[in-house]
Amino acid sequence: MLSYKLGLEYAKELDQNDVLATYRERFYIPKNKRGEELIYMTGNSLGLQPKVTKTYIDKELSDWAILGVEGHTQGETPWLPYHEFLAENMAMVVGAKPIEVVVMNTLTANLHLMMVSFYRPTKSRYKILIESDAFPSDKYAVESQLRHHGFDEKDGVVLWKPRHGETLLRYEDLETIMASQGNEIALIMIGGVNYYTGQYFDLKRITELGHKYGCTVGFDCAHGAGNVNLDLHDSGADFAVWCTYKYLNSGPGSLAGCFVHERHAYNKELNRFTGWWSHNKQTRFNMRDDFDQLPGAEGWQLSNPPILSMAAIKASLDMFGEVGMLALTEKSKQLTGYFEFLLQQLGDHTINIITPKNPEERGCQLSIQVKNADKTLHEKLNEAGVLSDWREPDVMRCAPVPLYNSFQDVYLLVEKLKVILNDK
Ligand SMILES: *Cc1c(COP(=O)(O)O)cnc(C)c1O
């Protein structure tokens, strides 16, 4: 347990001792109409823009201007292999091997592509298990896959639910579901870090359980990538997908990540949707050859990717490469622990943090339930210069991001919250 103190001076002291403090200056911090910096707590929704991103995008614009089509093969960062420049740092961020990761498409699109390969239902084994509070897009994607294969989504979706009166999920309940329906479940697809509660699941435990019953196991790590140490390779998961615009600061709607475990890298039997970018690089441009599968996650690409977005991802990943996930998560635990401490010190009984208390079971986000509150709380905070996220009926999600949020940000946020709560 880390221990903390009250007061602004202490927050300033923590900032002074923070080895990552200077990274804040490398981001644009949004401002209010009076030009004052906002307290930005929504990096879990859209990460902030690194100042260097523009330079990376300008570089590709300039190559395009000067080289035209030859930019594909010339220039410092030629476009044909551009995704390869991202693989090493992306693999580091999610705890994978470079052959296991690729940046392509968008998140939900990748989830569908992964289900084409890893959701292969039969008459008796066709169900998909998801968490009951899954992100809506994941739920819709899963339901549409069931329909696509001719199954009824009401019957085909198995929900892992919290117990009555609880919000977090328990592994014993998952074990119970598997014991009774494990042989009917084809795929387990869980949000690695739940977007609502911030609960970070034990990916390895879930994977081992699923595999024991003969299921494939995949994770949506949209709220995990760049936030927690995912160890995707060691988890043994069959696949994972994530976006890059949340904790990976790569711009609105930017491309997504995809992980396919190494044990599937050379399996050409695995059904998949393909395009020319999943074809052998050496002969891709011969155009008339029969399809020749690329090994690894790259072998799931369809198209040549939008380089301007890839450049924004490279800008961000180069920074992650410099910092490393260890330093990042170390500060994150301290920052979020401090946030939790200050909230507890308010002694306000209407406040209930639903995110797990154990730092190993969460990332930076705290989901704060405020009893009897409504959206006006969120609006008042907003007027006071705090950007947070509100989920009906009564949960506020705040994510102090270690790369650009300071201890003073957290201190000021709680001070403002205190004033608003005392006012009601
Ligand atoms: C953010 C998020 C999405 C968004 O999907 P897009 O395809 O990028 O629009 C989907 N699933 C989860 C779990 C998310 O957190």
Side-chain angles (χ1 to χ4, degrees):
M1 246 332 251
L2 299 160
S3 61
Y4 304 96
K5 290 184 232 163
L6 292 169
L8 179 60
E9 283 314 306
Y10 179 67
K12 287 184 176 166
E13 194 185 308
L14 288 173
D15 281 330
Q16 260 153 25
N17 295 332
D18 171 14
V19 291
L20 300 185
T22 55
Y23 279 89
R24 180 180 173 89
E25 288 149 34
R26 292 165 63 172
F27 286 86
Y28 291 106
I29 310 291
K31 294 179 176 152
N32 66 11
K33 291 198 185 84
R34 293 186 296 281
E36 301 150 345
E37 284 183 353
L38 295 172
I39 299 177
Y40 196 79
M41 287 289 146
T42 43
N44 55 351
S45 184
L46 183 70
L48 291 182
Q49 182 185 145
K51 289 178 179 163
V52 77
T53 300
K54 198 173 177 358
T55 319
Y56 280 66
I57 294 178
D58 278 348
K59 168 97 183 38
E60 301 314 319
L61 282 173
S62 150
D63 278 0
W64 178 24
I66 295 166
L67 301 167
V69 72
E70 296 198 305
H72 282 299
T73 52
Q74 295 173 25
E76 238 174 275
T77 43
W79 306 325
L80 279 186
Y82 201 96
H83 68 278
E84 296 170 22
F85 307 140
L86 309 179
E88 198 171 312
N89 279 334
M90 189 60 105
M92 179 280 291
V93 165
V94 298
K97 299 187 177 181
I99 194 174
E100 295 174 315
V101 301
V102 68
V103 173
M104 60 180 190
N105 314 309
T106 49
L107 171 54
T108 309
N110 285 346
L111 179 55
H112 275 297
L113 290 178
M114 289 294 99
M115 287 196 279
V116 165
S117 297
F118 296 104
Y119 174 57
R120 308 290 297 154
T122 64
K123 268 207 174 73
S124 59
R125 188 192 278 277
Y126 59 90
K127 294 183 178 175
I128 305 179
L129 183 142
I130 59 173
E131 80 267 40
S132 62
D133 237 325
F135 194 91
S137 195
D138 298 19
K139 188 166 158 276
Y140 305 149
V142 157
E143 289 168 351
S144 67
Q145 284 282 333
L146 277 153
R147 286 195 296 273
H148 172 69
H149 287 280
F151 296 100
D152 173 29
E153 74 213 40
K154 296 235 159 42
D155 163 54
V157 174
V158 179
L159 295 179
W160 178 19
K161 288 186 225 159
R163 291 182 187 178
H164 186 70
E166 297 187 351
T167 31
L168 300 176
L169 294 174
R170 293 173 180 255
Y171 297 99
E172 309 88 81
D173 296 343
L174 182 62
E175 282 155 12
T176 309
I177 297 173
M178 295 308 288
S180 67
Q181 297 184 70
N183 298 335
E184 295 165 23
I185 293 170
L187 168 68
I188 297 180
M189 215 301 290
I190 304 284
V193 176
N194 182 269
Y195 83 99
Y196 180 68
T197 62
Q199 183 174 12
Y200 174 24
F201 296 108
D202 186 336
L203 307 190
K204 190 172 188 154
R205 181 166 176 179
I206 295 173
T207 303
E208 283 173 359
L209 180 65
H211 285 171
K212 189 177 115 188
Y213 284 93
C215 315
T216 52
V217 181
F219 296 101
D220 183 333
C221 294
H223 280 262
N227 178 26
V228 294
N229 285 312
L230 284 168
D231 288 330
L232 284 180
H233 176 82
D234 282 343
S235 79
D238 294 287
F239 71 87
V241 291
W242 58 94
C243 57
T244 61
Y245 51 80
K246 290 171 180 162
Y247 294 106
L248 292 178
N249 311 322
S250 300
S254 194
L255 290 152
C258 187
F259 162 92
V260 179
H261 198 277
E262 190 180 31
R263 68 177 171 279
H264 302 300
Y266 295 92
N267 181 357
K268 295 189 179 184
E269 302 303 306
L270 212 48
N271 188 64
R272 70 184 83 193
F273 286 171
T274 51
W276 69 329
W277 241 246
S278 29
H279 180 92
N280 183 343
K281 292 171 203 174
Q282 268 67 51
T283 55
R284 181 182 287 152
F285 291 94
N286 297 353
M287 304 303 233
R288 287 175 184 82
D289 288 7
D290 284 342
F291 183 68
D292 180 9
Q293 186 72 65
L294 264 181
E298 281 185 302
W300 270 267
Q301 298 173 105
L302 302 177
S303 304
N304 79 99
I307 294 302
L308 302 183
S309 259
M310 297 289 264
I313 300 175
K314 187 168 189 313
S316 170
L317 286 179
D318 284 354
M319 198 187 296
F320 273 85
E322 190 181 297
V323 176
M325 283 307 289
L326 269 178
L328 201 72
T329 49
E330 199 170 305
K331 171 172 174 190
S332 183
K333 281 179 183 148
Q334 197 190 11
L335 189 62
T336 295
Y338 175 60
F339 184 21
E340 183 180 42
F341 164 80
L342 291 178
L343 287 171
Q344 283 162 351
Q345 291 300 312
L346 287 179
D348 187 317
H349 297 298
T350 62
I351 287 187
N352 173 32
I353 302 171
I354 61 179
T355 305
K357 289 190 173 47
N358 179 356
E360 304 304 321
E361 291 178 52
R362 67 184 185 200
C364 69
Q365 170 184 323
L366 290 185
S367 305
I368 308 156
Q369 186 172 38
V370 189
K371 289 192 195 87
N372 309 320
D374 56 32
K375 205 171 175 190
T376 54
L377 170 67
H378 169 72
E379 284 156 2
K380 283 180 191 159
L381 262 180
N382 204 312
E383 278 160 34
V386 178
L387 276 183
S388 65
D389 171 272
W390 183 260
R391 294 285 129 175
E392 293 297 342
D394 56 2
V395 169
M396 190 169 73
R397 298 185 308 161
C398 293
V401 170
L403 265 184
Y404 49 74
N405 281 121
S406 63
F407 290 88
Q408 284 180 77
D409 274 348
V410 166
Y411 174 82
L412 291 173
L413 159 65
V414 177
E415 284 299 299
K416 286 167 195 278
L417 182 64
K418 181 160 82 183
V419 171
I420 294 168
L421 288 174
N422 287 342
D423 232 33
K424 70 179 179 216

